[in-house]
């Protein structure tokens, strides 16, 4: 599983990354967490508002800092 955090690297993006890692730990899952800061690549995913979260190249959240519980719910649905 590859999880992408799409954003400029701002505080919201950092928080989303931390919450994603916490959710993975809580579920006992391992995944590659990739930070994408290149705006061309972010736009290629159809994202115009950051931070965004993509799981296996499917964008599941845009413009919102998800809590660890919210990320966990999305991971369970995968």
């Amino acid at each position: 599983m590859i999880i992408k955090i799409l954003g400029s690297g701002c505080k919201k993006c950092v928080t989303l990354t931390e919450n994603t890692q916490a959710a993975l730990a809580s579920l006992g899952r391992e995944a590659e967490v990739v930070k994408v800061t290149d705006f061309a690549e972010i736009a290629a995913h159809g994202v115009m508002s950051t931070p965004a979260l993509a799981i296996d190249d499917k964008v599941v959240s845009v413009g919102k800092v998800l809590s660890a519980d919210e990320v966990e719910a999305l991971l369970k649905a995968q």
Side-chain angles (χ1 to χ4, degrees):
M1 177 183 298
I2 298 174
I3 299 173
K4 293 182 181 179
I5 308 296
L6 308 165
S8 63
C10 64
K11 177 143 179 57
K12 290 180 180 181
C13 299
V14 171
T15 302
L16 181 58
T17 302
E18 291 169 352
N19 291 347
T20 299
Q21 291 168 334
L24 286 166
S26 176
L27 291 171
R29 288 193 187 176
E30 291 198 12
E32 181 181 355
V33 179
V34 179
K35 295 179 185 178
V36 178
T37 57
D38 179 62
F39 286 109
E41 189 175 344
I42 292 169
H45 281 86
V47 172
M48 295 299 154
S49 179
T50 61
L53 181 72
I55 301 173
D56 291 330
D57 278 332
K58 179 183 175 195
V59 177
V60 295
S61 173
V62 176
K64 182 179 175 190
V65 178
L66 299 173
S67 69
D69 288 339
E70 290 171 316
V71 175
E72 201 172 307
L74 290 170
L75 291 170
K76 285 179 181 176
Q78 295 299 314

